[in-house]
Amino acid sequence: MNRQYGCDIAVIGGGIGGCAAALAAAEAGLRIVLTEETDWIGGQFTSQAVPADEHRWIEQFGCTRKYREFRNRVRGYYKANYPLTAEAMRSDRFNPGAASVSRLSCDPRVALSVLQDMLAPHIHAGRITLLLNVRPTAADTDGDTVRSVTLEHTPSGDRLVVEARYVLDATECGDLLPLTGTEYVTGAESRRDTGEPHALEGEPEPLDIQSVTWCFALDYREGEDHTIEKPAAYEFWRSYQAPFQRDRMFSWTPLKTNEAVKRFSLFPETGAFSLWDYRRIADRTQFAPGAFDSDLTLVNWPQNDYWLGSVYEVPEEERLRHLEGAKQLSLSLLYWLQTEAPRPDGGSGYPGLRLRGDVTGTADGLAKAPYIRESRRIRAEFTVKEQHISPELRGAYGAEPFRDSVGIGSYRIDLHPTTGGREGFYIPSLPFQIPLGSLIPVRMDNLLPACKNIGVTHLTNGCFRLHPVEWNIGEAAGALAAYCLRRGVSPRQVRRDSARLADFQNALVQRGVELAWPVMGPV
């Protein structure tokens, strides 16, 4: 059965960027179709189970007003619905998990509820039509214009066709780019082509892509045994060690000796970095006694990064094999933790670790979708490169200022091990601006990126892929499509006409989008 939908803007992909784009466009009074491949909107926050990675100034500045509203609503949700300690209830900066990686580490189900609440007025008013469990399979184009996108409803196999005046690609892997014939790049560029000091020598490698991670949630029940069935790939992963690793992947010392973290541990112990605290989403000491029997933590660790192959730009059989490989790696890590992980008391294994599929909303206990760090990326009117944001190259001048800024972000250039067999790195960057040119494809007129698929490189993607930046990208894309439809202009015209650009930037500022940083140092 085929169903037809017509709208002003189709937002394909319901992750962080997709939700932000839909909100911005709906608040401008336009009709939106928002689609999502799983049954949970929210992407990194929810279906991928990745607590927010944010910069150190996030509580004061450095994000859009709408993103700050989301953060405030998360805290408000806990204070309205959970029995907190008096201290936690009073705190303006309450962090549910007190995670070491995040200033707001929350349960994916809470993030989902908040995003649903933010979308609800527009859904109820008919401005947003939300379609879940659908994935794009085809697109109809006319020259440089996308006319419609065809989606498959995965549970039933039904086809849905969405016709729109603007199409925003907010999919996790940039799936609309090949379907629409939009020019794009993947993987690692050559230094010869980009001039980036840390780019590859020699030829580019389009399939040298950052690892994916299939996250999962755990609690711990001392004295109980929740050991899972031994995964089929356990023996492989138990002995696996990449050439760039100091020790086997399943060890407390997998990283090279020159890394800042020399040794990991599960729970806090002297001289080690606690992985339990790293991405914890419920610190039971902040809740009333008895509210939680255990902390809750999310496992997105160095030991379950999967880099043995790509999950896009490969045949479907290979894609599915690597997705299953990522699942097997995560389940094997859990089994190792439960049965063989060295304990500080000289014993082995923590059988009390319990997989919490209720937290991730799945029967197998893993997240609904893998965490995708690196997407296909449009060939854009402007591409942000390492030399625009590197303190080594920019010195005291700060990141390159962009006259067409549509937002800001900050994170180190963080590259996890890649499918090309490279270790990756974690190097400083300067707080940066998001140029409008990076959101405009070199040819297509009515397709905009709204996720990690903007005009960045393999390297700069490493600091543009985090939660608040993805939100800002999506919000700017949604606002841009709405602006263009209201005024009868194209994104290219907005960028090239200084008066129109200033008018659009003023509209962003009125939305609470910050276009420039105060004077900052490297992060």
Side-chain angles (χ1 to χ4, degrees):
M1 182 178 72
N2 293 349
R3 295 192 63 181
Q4 299 280 136
Y5 294 86
C7 61
D8 296 311
I9 302 171
V11 181
I12 309 300
I16 296 174
C19 288
L23 284 167
E27 287 169 358
L30 297 176
R31 294 175 301 117
I32 317 302
V33 169
L34 172 63
T35 77
E36 166 54 32
E37 191 165 344
T38 72
D39 59 352
W40 278 12
I41 59 171
Q44 292 187 60
F45 277 123
T46 61
S47 60
Q48 297 175 31
V50 182
D53 280 306
E54 299 171 330
H55 56 75
R56 68 184 72 166
W57 309 283
I58 192 67
E59 302 293 357
Q60 293 84 34
F61 51 83
C63 67
T64 75
R65 182 190 301 147
K66 209 68 182 177
Y67 183 78
R68 190 166 303 286
E69 178 186 337
F70 166 78
R71 298 177 89 255
N72 290 338
R73 282 180 177 238
V74 166
R75 286 174 169 143
Y77 187 97
Y78 277 94
K79 293 182 179 184
N81 297 289
Y82 285 71
L84 304 180
T85 65
E87 181 180 3
M89 187 65 75
R90 289 194 302 268
S91 175
D92 291 335
R93 298 185 179 181
F94 170 60
N95 186 354
S100 60
V101 74
S102 177
R103 289 162 177 80
L104 189 65
S105 51
C106 71
D107 191 303
R109 296 167 295 185
V110 172
L112 175 64
S113 294
V114 169
L115 287 170
Q116 288 172 331
D117 285 350
M118 293 177 76
L119 291 174
H122 305 290
I123 292 174
H124 297 167
R127 284 185 294 274
I128 293 179
T129 299
L130 176 61
L131 305 176
L132 300 175
N133 293 309
V134 296
R135 65 184 186 91
T137 58
D140 178 46
T141 60
D142 180 8
D144 301 337
T145 301
V146 181
R147 297 298 185 191
S148 67
V149 176
T150 300
L151 305 116
E152 178 190 10
H153 182 248
T154 49
S156 67
D158 290 348
R159 292 199 327 153
L160 301 81
V161 177
V162 180
E163 297 180 347
R165 294 194 284 168
Y166 268 81
V167 174
L168 273 55
D169 185 347
T171 62
E172 297 297 328
C173 296
D175 293 332
L176 283 190
L177 304 184
L179 293 178
T180 58
T182 301
E183 291 79 2
Y184 67 93
V185 298
T186 63
E189 294 91 348
S190 165
R191 187 181 307 168
R192 177 196 63 210
D193 296 331
T194 67
E196 296 172 299
H198 289 90
L200 296 182
E201 294 184 15
E203 296 301 311
E205 295 187 15
L207 288 182
D208 185 25
I209 297 165
Q210 282 202 69
S211 50
V212 304
T213 302
W214 216 302
C215 303
F216 55 95
L218 293 175
D219 66 7
Y220 183 64
R221 317 273 296 188
E222 181 66 48
E224 298 180 8
D225 188 346
H226 296 279
T227 304
I228 63 171
E229 182 179 349
K230 184 178 179 179
Y234 180 68
E235 294 302 330
F236 171 82
W237 288 114
R238 179 178 179 272
S239 60
Y240 179 81
Q241 181 176 349
F244 54 77
Q245 290 182 305
R246 175 187 178 188
D247 200 346
R248 289 179 303 171
M249 179 174 265
F250 290 176
S251 72
W252 297 132
T253 55
L255 303 181
K256 292 197 312 185
T257 54
N258 64 350
E259 292 285 347
V261 177
K262 301 294 195 301
R263 183 169 69 89
F264 294 116
S265 64
L266 182 58
F267 300 116
E269 61 180 85
T270 302
F273 180 86
S274 169
L275 291 168
W276 186 263
D277 292 356
Y278 182 39
R279 297 187 184 275
R280 184 172 52 190
I281 56 171
D283 172 11
R284 63 176 176 168
T285 66
Q286 299 191 93
F287 297 82
F292 284 90
D293 295 330
S294 164
D295 293 348
L296 289 172
T297 198
L298 292 174
V299 178
N300 174 16
W301 301 347
Q303 292 99 325
N304 64 327
D305 279 359
Y306 180 87
W307 56 73
L308 297 191
S310 177
V311 298
Y312 56 89
E313 296 294 296
V314 295
E316 179 66 6
E317 181 181 354
E318 185 175 349
R319 184 184 79 90
L320 294 175
R321 177 164 58 83
H322 289 309
L323 288 171
E324 178 60 25
K327 283 190 172 185
Q328 281 289 311
L329 169 56
S330 287
L331 291 171
S332 295
L333 172 60
L334 172 58
Y335 187 77
W336 177 80
L337 290 168
Q338 291 173 324
T339 61
E340 295 194 72
R343 300 172 60 117
D345 61 8
S348 298
Y350 297 84
L353 290 171
R354 182 172 62 163
L355 195 57
R356 290 291 300 270
D358 57 319
V359 174
T360 54
T362 61
D364 66 6
L366 302 178
K368 289 178 178 289
Y371 173 33
I372 304 294
R373 293 182 174 87
E374 183 178 333
S375 172
R376 300 177 179 93
R377 307 180 296 278
I378 64 165
R379 288 196 181 276
E381 286 203 342
F382 183 86
T383 300
V384 182
K385 301 175 183 177
E386 182 184 4
Q387 47 266 47
H388 296 127
I389 61 174
S390 168
E392 294 180 21
L393 302 175
R394 297 285 305 171
Y397 293 100
E400 182 83 18
F402 298 123
R403 69 170 186 87
D404 61 343
S405 173
V406 292
I408 58 177
S410 179
Y411 203 75
R412 290 169 70 94
I413 297 177
D414 180 12
L415 263 68
H416 286 235
T418 69
T419 55
R422 292 179 172 84
E423 182 181 14
F425 45 78
Y426 186 65
I427 59 176
S429 72
L430 294 156
F432 52 82
Q433 294 174 310
I434 305 167
L436 177 58
S438 68
L439 273 67
I440 301 177
V442 292
R443 180 179 60 84
M444 299 300 284
D445 289 329
N446 73 330
L447 181 142
L448 296 171
C451 193
K452 299 180 285 286
N453 50 354
I454 66 170
V456 290
T457 66
H458 175 67
L459 297 176
T460 54
N461 164 78
C463 56
F464 274 72
R465 63 179 170 81
L466 287 309
H467 301 61
V469 184
E470 184 185 332
W471 184 293
N472 195 148
I473 291 167
E475 187 169 346
L480 177 62
Y483 181 92
C484 290
L485 286 172
R486 289 295 192 199
R487 288 162 178 77
V489 296
S490 72
R492 242 176 288 283
Q493 289 174 314
V494 172
R495 181 170 184 251
R496 293 175 182 176
D497 185 304
S498 58
R500 285 183 174 134
L501 176 61
D503 188 46
F504 175 60
Q505 289 174 317
N506 181 62
L508 291 177
V509 170
Q510 295 302 309
R511 284 192 56 81
V513 177
E514 299 176 25
L515 303 184
W517 287 94
V519 177
M520 310 288 288
V523 298

